[in-house]
Amino acid sequence: MGKQVKRMKRIIKKCAGFLAAVMVILAGVWTAAVPAEAASGNVYTCAVHPCYVHPVTGVIEDSGGEASYATGQGMVDGVVYPTGILELTDSGEYYLTVRFSLMDQTSGHSFWVQNVGDSGWSAPAAGVTGSGTDGNGTTADICIQVPSENCVVRVSMYVDPMGRDVIFYLYPSDYTAGNSTDMNATIVTASSGSGGTATTNGSGSTGTESGSSGSGSTSTGSGNASLSGSSLQSGSGSSVSGSSDTEAGDSSTEAPALSSSIDKAAQPAASTDTELNDAQGLSLSTGADASEEAEETGSSGGSSAFAIGVAVTVSGLILMGTAAVIVYFFRKNWKRWGGGYDDDEA
């Protein structure tokens, strides 16, 4: 009987320890979702410019090089949507959301950011805030923390059909207050100067509470934003349905004006004519030489034709004279060689 009591006590102690561990875990989960101060600020619609070359320096980092400039620019134009949104919090943080196409044919998206004029890069927080489809496949709305509105974003991604990583750039410009896109503002959930609530996820990054999304959106999301590291983070809790356009975009105070110092993206730092000619196919490999020869032929075509005509005429006269000499020589010596005796005998 005493042994059974001791055994029951040991079982009760083990169960108590297990329950205590469960309570600690649940407490951690609860504290991870404690409400925090919401981000208030302004939302802007902006133009997004994808560039195969660095838009300021004209440098190409992609392994395709200058010879692939036309192909590379066409590719990035097809990947990056031309319109995005920029969220500016009252605390001075900037978050740029860009829509990327061909997500089912690309992977490993990584980002680096810099202010225009800087030489170095920094790794920002980034995450997927919405997803959808278009004529080319799946799309993703990617929110990237940038240092200012006058910035450049460097993008690296693996392209499955090419079998390699591709490096390109993008920059925002032409800011207008308010969100006129179907992308969701995921950081700024209240107009500038107002408060609100938000939640922080387990990694410590702040995400906004789900709000009403704009109508007609082709990109959907749910949960809290998760922006961490320079590589794209996705999965549960990383897609967001943001606040409505009027909630974050329209403010009682006028939104500050924003602008980019890049008027026009730079062209490749060095001319691509030589590289393109070297890379041409067999039928076009002599294109440059042919144009030079055509100019030379145009200036000396008449004299060349005359010289050819004279050469042909002189050669014909020489051949005719030689034939006449041979015939005369044979006729004069025919009988001496015995050619006439056969006729006499006959």
Side-chain angles (χ1 to χ4, degrees), residues 116-161:
V116 172
D118 292 349
S119 58
W121 299 92
S122 60
V128 176
T129 59
S131 61
T133 59
D134 62 10
N136 295 322
T138 59
T139 66
D141 298 343
I142 302 177
C143 183
I144 308 164
Q145 187 173 8
V146 295
S148 70
E149 78 276 13
N150 192 25
C151 65
V152 177
V153 179
R154 179 179 181 268
V155 185
S156 174
M157 66 183 185
Y158 184 83
V159 181
D160 293 339

Side-chain angles (χ1 to χ4, degrees), residues 38-294:
S40 59
N42 293 285
V43 180
Y44 300 80
T45 301
C46 62
V48 178
H49 307 273
C51 307
Y52 186 65
V53 305
H54 191 289
V56 178
T57 64
V59 172
I60 297 177
E61 288 188 69
D62 184 65
S63 60
E66 296 176 1
S68 300
Y69 170 69
T71 302
Q73 185 61 47
M75 180 197 67
V76 300
D77 285 339
V79 169
V80 180
Y81 273 65
T83 305
I85 59 174
L86 182 76
E87 301 173 66
L88 171 58
T89 67
D90 286 342
S91 60
E93 296 177 338
Y94 296 81
Y95 296 89
L96 175 67
T97 300
V98 180
R99 180 166 294 173
F100 284 75
S101 184
L102 300 171
M103 291 298 292
D104 49 351
Q105 299 185 44
T106 57
S107 59
H109 296 72
S110 297
F111 306 92
W112 294 265
V113 295
Q114 66 177 194
N115 283 311
V116 172
D118 292 349
S119 58
W121 299 92
S122 60
V128 176
T129 59
S131 61
T133 59
D134 62 10
N136 295 322
T138 59
T139 66
D141 298 343
I142 302 177
C143 183
I144 308 164
Q145 187 173 8
V146 295
S148 70
E149 78 276 13
N150 192 25
C151 65
V152 177
V153 179
R154 179 179 181 268
V155 185
S156 174
M157 66 183 185
Y158 184 83
V159 181
D160 293 339
M162 299 177 66
R164 68 175 180 87
D165 290 314
V166 173
I167 298 174
F168 62 96
Y169 312 86
L170 60 89
Y171 69 94
S173 70
D174 304 325
Y175 298 97
T176 56
N179 183 0
S180 59
T181 73
D182 60 355
M183 289 180 281
N184 297 313
T186 57
I187 304 299
V188 174
T189 58
S191 59
S192 181
S194 63
T197 58
T199 58
T200 57
N201 58 25
S203 62
S205 58
T206 302
T208 61
E209 289 185 342
S210 175
S212 59
S213 60
S215 60
S217 173
T218 60
S219 180
T220 60
S222 61
N224 294 326
S226 177
L227 307 181
S228 60
S230 62
S231 298
L232 187 61
Q233 303 295 322
S234 60
S236 60
S238 63
S239 297
V240 184
S241 62
S243 58
S244 64
D245 297 345
T246 56
E247 183 181 359
D250 297 335
S251 171
S252 58
T253 59
E254 185 177 355
L258 302 181
S259 64
S260 172
S261 63
I262 303 176
D263 294 329
K264 185 178 181 181
Q267 295 299 305
S271 174
T272 61
D273 293 344
T274 303
E275 288 80 358
L276 289 175
N277 285 335
D278 293 341
Q280 286 173 339
L282 180 62
S283 61
L284 300 178
S285 61
T286 58
D289 296 337
S291 61
E292 296 176 359
E293 292 176 359

Side-chain angles (χ1 to χ4, degrees), residues 330 333-344:
F330 268 88
N333 295 282
W334 181 252
K335 291 183 178 181
R336 182 185 303 175
W337 292 341
Y341 296 108
D342 294 336
D343 296 334
D344 295 341

